[in-house]
Amino acid sequence: MSEAIAYYPGCSGLGTSKEYDTSTRAVCAALGLSLVDIPDWSCCGSTPAHTKDHTLSAALSARNLQLVSGMGLKAAATPCPSCLTNLRTANHRIEAAPFKAKVDKLLDEPYGGDVNAISVLQALVENIGVETIASAVRTPLKGLKVACYYGCIMNRPPELMAFDDCENPMAMDNILAALGAEVVPFPLKVECCGASYGIPRPDVTAALSGKLLEAAVGVGADMVAVACPLCQMNLDLRQGQVNRAMGTHYRIPVPYFTQLMGVALNIPDGEIGFGKLNVDPRPVLSKALSGAD
Amino acid sequence: MRIGVFVCHCGSNIEGTVDTGTVAKAALDFPEVVYATDTMYACSEPGQDGIIQAIKDKNLTGVVVASCTPRMHEPTFRRAVERAGLNRFMFEMANIREHVSWIGKDREANTNKSVDLVRIAVEKLRRDAPLIPSKFSVNKRVMIIGGGVAGIQAALDCADGGLEVVLVERDSSIGGKMAKLDKTFPTVDCSSCILGPKMVDVAQHPNITLHAYSEVDSIGGYVGNFQVQVKKKATYVDWELCTGCGACMEKCPSKKNPDAFNEKIGPSTSINIPFPQAIPKKAYIDATTCRQFVKGKCGVCAKVCPTGAIRYDMTDEIVTEDVGAIVAATGYDLFDISKIAEYGGGRYPDVITGLQYERLLSASGPTGGHIKRPSDGKEPKNIVFIQCVGSRDKSLDRPYCSGFCCMYTAKQTILTKDHIPDSQSYVFYMDIRAPGKMYDEFTRRAMEEYGARYIRGRVAMVYPKGDKLMVRGADTLAGTQVEIEADLVVLAAGAEAAKGAPQLAEKLRISYDKYGFFMESHPKLKPVETNTAGVYLAGSCQGPKDIPQSVGQGSAAAAKVLALFSKDMLESDPQISRVDIKRCVGCGKCIMTCPFKAIKEVEFRGQKKAEVIETVCQGCGICTSTCPQGAIQLSHFTDNQILAEVNALCQS
Ligand SMILES: Cc1cc2nc3c(=O)[nH]c(=O)nc-3n(C[C@H](O)[C@H](O)[C@H](O)COP(=O)(O)OP(=O)(O)OC[C@H]3O[C@@H](n4cnc5c(N)ncnc54)[C@H](O)[C@@H]3O)c2cc1C
Ligand code: SF4
Ligand code: SF4
């Protein structure tokens, strides 16, 4: 049993990526990692705040970290790499005293900078450990070929994120291997999927996400496991757009890695939430697990 | 004492912000100063003549020069006063350039500070005493550490100059990196054809003793008289008996070990002669893979060896070599390409280093000189070369240029076209650095005659796609992104200090930079000397160098050794510590603090005392500040002299 960690689901965790949130909670509970909700948490600032005003952006994130500090906890885990970037950036920026003073002015209570923000992925690797995960597996994902896609900001910039290799991360690969899946070497692990360009320039996202899908299919993956709500959306929900733009016919499931963990740990379907994905992983999954071709 | 003071203008260097005339005038008021003047360039011939003339005319017994740093000209002026008949230590320098004129603009303040510095120098000089160096004999043998082309050149030049040479090489053969190269720029002549004969000369030269498969264990002594312990690593083969016939290699059942000589792209046997031209051409057993050692049974080589040379029970052996000088020529290593994950070196078999590519090109390499991809043995058509991998990259702590990669990449594109006429080479570069003789012409030939496509820009990533490698990068001249489908990617891995270089530097008591390259005494004027007398540098142990430069330095180091050995006796520097035996209580504190082990314990009338070993003492002065009795004093920097300087400063 490891120490309790505060849990910061982020706005998408309660909306577009509900299934990432529920599967994360269920998996952590099953593995004995106690996630404690932060009372009255608010948005981390997301993309708009930091493009407009660094102080405001840092204050929005710092407010949440300050709340964690108030709970008497030292660390907060978030499933979303974008939230993670904002939380970590806030911690980094307030190391400069003048900046911290400006941020503190916007907060109800000053924040000491003493709460470490980490990703759920990092929490699973570091607080639980790959061996423990392996020993908790009930349904091994034998026969399933997975490409692990980390997205471009989970490990970058490396000085800020300070976790795993920024060009060739292995944390998710190691977890999925521990679940019994066959992890295929995926060369574009940290390439950009197009991120929020899906809104102003869908052609850019289609090209970039198309390249990722092409590579994943090229290395023979049955699925692409992801750890980011935005990546998931671009690769899964926009797969039709990609196909139309690129003249391709991909239909490859793009589940969250926590959902695949859920399957291996025998978490009930309701919490895994496969039904919320565009391309349903279940047919491919059951085919792979049954050993059929 | 009759002291003369000379205040130098150093052109406008000093005179620009210091009123030297005023400084000279002020000096006339200092005790025992009988003459003072300002002078245009004290170090020039008329400047020195002026000093000599004044010594003679005014009967001076001590001289102060206020000018630049003593690092630059202290020896110059000491020689000048000596020519005038004074002892060379009856001379002091005040640094009014680096310490005054170069760092401040206020003429009045600068002038005052210069006066103070001269006052200090005069007070010190008043307490100076003549020092006479003692003489000691020189052992005219030289040790060269490292048998690459630089070490080989130094060894041959010294041996031809009549010296006895001991060459220590840690691999089982000499030759270094050059022995692994196929052809060499800018002449594209066969590397082993020009190096091979030199290697044979080493083996056959009556003056050269070669310790291959050996390393320096420890070094004691000082210039003229070093004692070096050399560890001869166990080869498990009696080299007296081994004829290099190779029967053992043919029969050795352990055949799949990565071959170090072939940069791990080919297999090798556990008993091995690294390459056909190896010197010495003797077999050695790699105990980490040999079945006899790992599994405890095999013994095949012992059975087949026609001369019965195999000795599984051999152990390391230490031999002591007494030499008078040492040349370090330990070369460089390559940057570990797996540290740049985005290029996939170490993960994708068809991403290789330039040195591995040399082995593929070489007729004696693992593919017999046919370019074949490591993954499937196919002949590549599209080959992408990426330069500056681990060079000129601050983020990897490798900000320096590795010097030879631009050139060897150009060479490799030329050789590629020769081997595979329908191939296409692409080179990603930052800028082309080709300053040597015929170098720029050479890179142009690669582009213009051999059609290598040069793309200025960095590669972002290399990733496999089917059986190809996609190379994605920027073309900063065209302002676009480019993507090239490659069959093989060759990384121009930069140069790093050789493994173990800092440890060796510490044994040699020489400095090394933050990257582990050895430091020369002066970057321009003493490029092959070190700050430790009798220790010289050659080749890329001092920083990346190509073959012409390495050979040039090998010869330069040899010239230095020959010059050193041209005298039968050497003078020791008299600026060393001396123990006042009456005061010394034999506590031994100095013995413990001396970093050079220059103090030993002696018996004097039944009492323990300290004694300084003159030739080992470096004059650092650490002992003098340690001694609770003030019994050990550094000549020319005694407590009294330093206190006099401080007093002079406080008076002003
Ligand atoms: C791919 C590639 C291609 C190149 N092509 C060319 C070319 O065409 N033309 C050209 O001019 N240059 C070329 N170079 C550069 C060339 O390799 C160097 O200029 C040359 O090898 C330097 O020689 P060296 O003797 O200083 O060092 P090295 O060749 O590195 O030799 C050093 C020797 O010292 C030994 N050693 C190291 N440490 C110890 C120790 N502690 N004790 C005992 N022995 C030790 C090593 O085993 C080695 O034998 C190329 C380099 C590369 C990487
Ligand atoms: S060890 Fe024996 S068999 Fe091997 S090369 Fe030497 S002489 Fe020949
Ligand atoms: S001066 Fe330095 S080197 Fe000489 S004896 Fe003292 S401590 Fe050793």
Side-chain angles (χ1 to χ4, degrees):
Chain A
M1 185 74 194
S2 57
E3 208 180 302
I5 284 191
Y7 180 60
Y8 182 79
C11 307
S12 50
L14 300 195
T16 54
S17 64
K18 189 89 188 103
E19 65 280 23
Y20 193 10
D21 176 68
T22 55
S23 56
T24 293
R25 290 172 187 271
V27 161
C28 288
L31 291 169
L33 176 63
S34 151
L35 297 179
V36 190
D37 276 284
I38 306 169
D40 192 34
W41 63 271
S42 52
C43 171
C44 67
S46 189
T47 312
H50 73 75
T51 46
K52 193 82 190 78
D53 180 355
H54 286 175
T55 313
L56 173 63
S57 166
L60 284 162
S61 282
R63 177 178 181 275
N64 295 303
L65 294 169
Q66 196 277 324
L67 290 173
V68 174
S69 184
M71 294 159 72
L73 294 179
K74 285 272 159 261
T78 174
C80 171
S82 179
C83 299
L84 181 64
T85 305
N86 282 328
L87 297 171
R88 288 206 148 227
T89 304
N91 264 344
H92 171 67
R93 289 221 164 103
I94 63 162
E95 277 170 22
F99 188 85
K100 180 178 183 317
K102 283 198 277 178
V103 170
D104 278 342
K105 236 186 242 164
L106 296 177
L107 300 180
D108 295 335
E109 274 180 62
Y111 163 56
D114 50 352
V115 174
N116 187 24
I118 62 173
S119 65
V120 164
L121 179 61
Q122 183 174 359
L124 285 168
V125 170
E126 289 179 357
N127 297 43
I128 299 294
V130 173
E131 289 95 64
T132 312
I133 296 175
S135 62
V137 170
R138 300 282 165 272
T139 308
L141 303 184
K142 273 223 153 359
L144 184 70
K145 289 189 182 167
V146 190
C148 293
Y149 175 58
Y150 295 73
C152 53
I153 59 168
M154 175 71 98
N155 303 286
R156 300 195 282 195
E159 300 79 22
L160 187 67
M161 300 314 243
F163 171 62
D164 214 348
D165 189 302
C166 69
E167 294 294 342
N168 184 34
M170 287 301 291
M172 206 193 309
D173 293 62
N174 294 338
I175 289 183
L176 278 150
L179 303 180
E182 183 189 330
V183 187
V184 293
F186 182 51
L188 302 187
K189 278 178 181 181
V190 292
E191 283 294 284
C192 177
C193 64
S196 352
Y197 265 107
I199 297 158
R201 290 283 303 273
D203 57 320
V204 169
T205 302
L208 293 177
S209 286
K211 205 169 251 167
L212 292 172
L213 294 171
E214 182 195 8
V217 172
V219 294
D222 298 327
M223 293 186 183
V224 182
V226 293
C228 166
L230 193 53
C231 302
Q232 201 283 333
M233 179 150 73
N234 283 342
L235 294 182
D236 180 37
L237 192 65
R238 291 184 192 278
Q239 215 168 94
Q241 279 179 8
V242 170
N243 282 337
R244 249 171 282 130
M246 313 303 289
T248 49
H249 303 281
Y250 301 125
R251 201 162 164 72
I252 179 169
V254 187
Y256 292 102
F257 76 102
T258 46
Q259 293 181 295
L260 294 177
M261 289 181 79
V263 174
L265 302 181
N266 283 358
I267 306 276
D269 282 354
E271 280 157 280
I272 294 178
F274 276 148
K276 294 187 74 79
L277 303 182
N278 178 37
V279 181
D280 190 341
R282 283 168 293 198
V284 178
L285 196 57
S286 52
K287 207 159 103 187
L289 296 191
S290 68
D293 243 315
Chain B
M1 197 178 275
R2 295 176 59 80
I3 296 174
V5 176
F6 300 83
V7 187
C8 182
H9 295 191
C10 199
S12 62
N13 263 314
I14 294 173
E15 180 59 25
T17 58
V18 176
D19 183 351
T20 51
T22 304
V23 177
K25 210 175 284 157
L28 277 175
D29 291 340
F30 299 157
E32 300 180 77
V33 173
V34 296
Y35 178 73
T37 180
D38 57 311
T39 159
M40 189 72 177
Y41 287 107
C43 61
S44 67
E45 203 183 352
Q48 293 187 49
D49 285 347
I51 295 173
I52 293 172
Q53 203 54 48
I55 293 174
K56 291 185 175 152
D57 292 350
K58 318 274 172 200
N59 258 331
L60 302 179
T61 55
V63 168
V64 169
V65 173
S67 61
C68 54
T69 159
R71 274 170 175 260
M72 188 92 141
H73 281 318
E74 195 172 56
T76 315
F77 293 127
R78 279 190 175 163
R79 274 196 302 272
V81 299
E82 206 163 44
R83 279 205 299 278
L86 297 184
N87 181 277
R88 54 167 49 214
F89 290 95
M90 300 309 289
F91 165 78
E92 289 297 331
M93 240 174 136
N95 184 352
I96 59 167
R97 194 177 72 181
E98 280 81 348
H99 289 180
V100 181
S101 70
W102 274 0
I103 54 169
K105 288 207 162 57
D106 181 336
R107 197 172 167 87
E108 195 188 328
N110 279 359
T111 305
N112 291 339
K113 184 172 176 188
S114 300
V115 171
D116 286 345
L117 293 185
V118 171
R119 188 200 316 273
I120 291 173
V122 167
E123 286 304 322
K124 165 108 194 301
L125 177 63
R126 292 177 66 208
R127 285 153 187 84
D128 279 348
L131 297 177
I132 316 270
S134 53
K135 299 205 170 201
F136 58 91
S137 65
V138 191
N139 180 350
K140 295 186 182 177
R141 297 177 88 221
V142 55
M143 174 173 287
I144 318 271
I145 308 174
V149 67
I152 290 173
Q153 184 68 34
L156 290 174
D157 286 349
C158 286
D160 286 346
L163 303 180
E164 253 188 75
V165 177
V166 184
L167 179 57
V168 178
E169 166 57 51
R170 74 171 161 204
D171 283 348
S172 82
S173 167
I174 56 169
K177 307 292 178 307
M178 186 173 169
K180 300 187 181 193
L181 306 180
D182 177 35
K183 308 267 177 5
T184 54
F185 65 75
T187 42
V188 204
D189 39 8
C190 153
S191 187
S192 51
C193 310
I194 55 174
L195 183 65
K198 278 188 183 287
M199 291 168 57
V200 174
D201 287 350
V202 168
Q204 296 184 342
H205 206 296
N207 288 359
I208 300 181
T209 309
L210 172 59
H211 294 304
Y213 213 55
S214 299
E215 264 172 85
V216 166
D217 207 46
S218 68
I219 302 173
Y222 49 91
V223 57
N225 297 282
F226 292 106
Q227 294 85 41
V228 188
Q229 310 257 10
V230 177
K231 180 163 87 189
K232 304 196 76 165
K233 299 179 279 185
T235 55
Y236 307 107
V237 176
D238 183 342
W239 281 9
E240 298 281 328
L241 297 178
C242 174
T243 58
C245 68
C248 52
M249 285 167 69
E250 249 165 63
K251 292 283 163 11
C252 174
S254 164
K255 288 193 185 337
K256 294 252 160 70
N257 316 303
D259 186 348
F261 184 76
N262 280 325
E263 292 287 307
K264 302 186 179 156
I265 45 166
S268 86
T269 43
S270 287
I271 188 163
N272 193 20
I273 301 171
F275 56 109
Q277 302 90 336
I279 297 287
K281 194 172 180 188
K282 307 283 177 186
Y284 75 99
I285 295 178
D286 175 3
T288 60
T289 60
C290 167
R291 296 187 184 189
Q292 183 67 33
F293 286 93
V294 178
K295 298 197 179 131
K297 59 171 194 239
C298 177
V300 171
C301 51
K303 274 180 223 127
V304 300
C305 176
T307 64
I310 309 296
R311 298 276 180 277
Y312 296 122
D313 58 355
M314 199 185 239
T315 49
D316 294 353
E317 185 195 339
I318 303 270
V319 294
T320 304
E321 294 284 1
D322 294 317
V323 294
I326 300 175
V327 177
T330 49
Y332 66 98
D333 273 338
L334 286 190
F335 176 80
D336 173 7
I337 57 168
S338 70
K339 283 191 194 156
I340 306 187
E342 56 268 42
Y343 293 169
R347 267 190 294 152
Y348 312 135
D350 295 333
V351 177
I352 61 174
T353 67
L355 202 51
Q356 288 177 321
Y357 196 60
E358 295 280 344
R359 295 315 300 146
L360 290 183
L361 291 167
S362 167
S364 64
T367 53
H370 299 289
I371 306 176
K372 294 178 181 171
R373 325 203 286 177
S375 65
D376 53 11
K378 279 194 200 145
E379 188 178 77
K381 297 291 180 208
N382 274 355
I383 303 180
V384 170
F385 295 86
I386 305 177
Q387 291 193 191
C388 298
V389 176
S391 302
R392 303 173 68 196
D393 193 336
K394 261 198 199 158
S395 68
L396 297 166
D397 198 27
R398 292 288 173 270
Y400 55 85
C401 172
S402 292
F404 43 63
C405 322
C406 283
M407 289 301 293
Y408 76 62
T409 302
K411 170 186 74 177
Q412 290 174 346
T413 66
I414 289 176
L415 295 175
T416 303
K417 199 74 178 175
D418 282 343
H419 281 248
I420 314 171
D422 62 339
S423 65
Q424 178 62 54
S425 294
Y426 300 85
V427 180
F428 282 91
Y429 71 103
M430 296 218 264
D431 46 80
I432 305 290
R433 302 189 163 187
K437 185 170 173 178
M438 297 296 287
Y439 281 19
D440 201 59
E441 297 90 319
F442 184 77
T443 54
R444 297 214 153 269
R445 213 159 77 222
M447 297 176 220
E448 289 158 14
E449 286 173 38
Y450 288 81
R453 284 198 206 147
Y454 272 67
I455 303 163
R456 180 173 168 278
R458 298 294 284 164
V459 168
M461 81 182 304
V462 177
Y463 65 96
K465 189 169 165 186
D467 71 342
K468 306 270 183 197
L469 290 162
M470 299 300 294
V471 180
R472 194 193 299 165
D475 182 335
T476 50
L477 293 180
T480 57
Q481 294 194 357
V482 281
E483 219 163 26
I484 296 169
E485 221 176 57
D487 301 302
L488 184 67
V489 174
V490 182
L491 305 182
E496 294 201 332
K499 250 173 251 79
Q503 288 79 351
L504 181 63
E506 264 152 44
K507 288 177 191 162
L508 288 164
R509 287 183 249 116
I510 60 175
S511 328
Y512 51 96
D513 66 20
K514 63 190 274 212
Y515 309 108
F517 289 113
F518 299 158
M519 297 256 273
E520 63 286 341
S521 200
H522 188 286
K524 282 158 271 180
L525 300 178
K526 291 185 172 178
V528 298
E529 284 110 310
T530 68
N531 284 335
T532 299
V535 179
Y536 305 94
L537 305 176
S540 35
C541 60
Q542 180 248 8
K545 285 194 180 52
D546 59 18
I547 295 166
Q549 290 172 328
S550 301
V551 170
Q553 273 209 338
S555 291
K560 289 286 165 190
V561 174
L562 285 161
L564 178 77
F565 288 177
S566 66
K567 305 186 193 81
D568 295 322
M569 301 292 275
L570 289 182
E571 283 189 352
S572 64
D573 187 343
Q575 294 181 86
I576 52 164
S577 282
R578 288 170 213 275
V579 180
D580 180 347
I581 214 98
K582 293 191 289 305
R583 281 194 176 186
C584 176
V585 294
C587 68
K589 291 206 164 80
C590 54
I591 300 178
M592 284 189 294
T593 47
C594 175
F596 301 100
K597 301 198 171 58
I599 311 178
K600 63 178 179 200
E601 192 185 291
V602 289
E603 275 252 329
F604 184 76
R605 293 188 189 149
Q607 280 180 315
K608 265 201 281 176
K609 300 280 173 184
E611 187 177 288
V612 176
I613 311 166
E614 272 182 44
T615 39
V616 184
C617 173
Q618 301 290 313
C620 70
I622 292 177
C623 56
T624 61
S625 50
T626 310
C627 178
Q629 300 296 315
I632 192 162
Q633 292 285 324
L634 183 58
S635 306
H636 207 58
F637 294 95
T638 61
D639 289 355
N640 283 345
Q641 287 178 314
I642 291 166
L643 281 172
E645 290 184 310
V646 176
N647 277 340
L649 189 61
C650 295
Q651 272 166 22
S652 67

